[in-house]
Amino acid sequence: MPRLDQDQLDRLDEDQFAFPKERKEPLNNAAHVRNAIARFNQVEGVSDDERDSAWRRIKKAAEKHGVEVQEKSWREIGRK
């Protein structure tokens, strides 16, 4: 996955982040969507409501970019 530099991150609209207020976890392509899922539980300083909203954005981006998501909820991430 190509890493986005600060200039590229700054050009992304808020709606292209899982956590727009914090501008964390970009969702601009399939690789970043997969990364957002993998790092979801590492995001600190956000409420469960913000996580719920972020999960909806991730699911929408996953559908757009053809990423299969096994989990129905962010609370299932990391469980087997």
Side-chain angles (χ1 to χ4, degrees):
M1 166 180 65
R3 186 171 178 91
L4 297 174
D5 64 28
Q6 191 60 49
D7 187 51
Q8 291 168 316
L9 285 171
D10 290 344
R11 287 193 305 245
L12 292 177
D13 292 332
E14 275 190 4
D15 65 347
Q16 291 184 289
F17 290 90
F19 297 92
K21 189 170 88 175
E22 296 79 10
R23 295 187 66 82
K24 290 187 177 182
E25 305 308 335
L27 303 170
N28 59 313
N29 60 40
H32 281 110
V33 171
R34 287 189 290 275
N35 191 54
I37 294 167
R39 295 176 174 267
F40 193 90
N41 289 333
Q42 296 174 10
V43 176
E44 296 178 347
V46 295
S47 68
D48 283 355
D49 287 340
E50 289 172 302
R51 288 187 186 282
D52 289 337
S53 296
W55 188 250
R56 284 191 296 273
R57 284 188 284 280
I58 287 171
K59 295 278 286 189
K60 184 177 177 181
E63 186 176 317
K64 175 182 177 182
H65 296 293
V67 175
E68 186 178 333
V69 179
Q70 303 283 327
E71 300 84 0
K72 303 262 188 255
S73 164
W74 61 267
R75 291 172 176 87
E76 295 177 12
I77 295 174
R79 291 190 197 168
K80 294 256 178 184

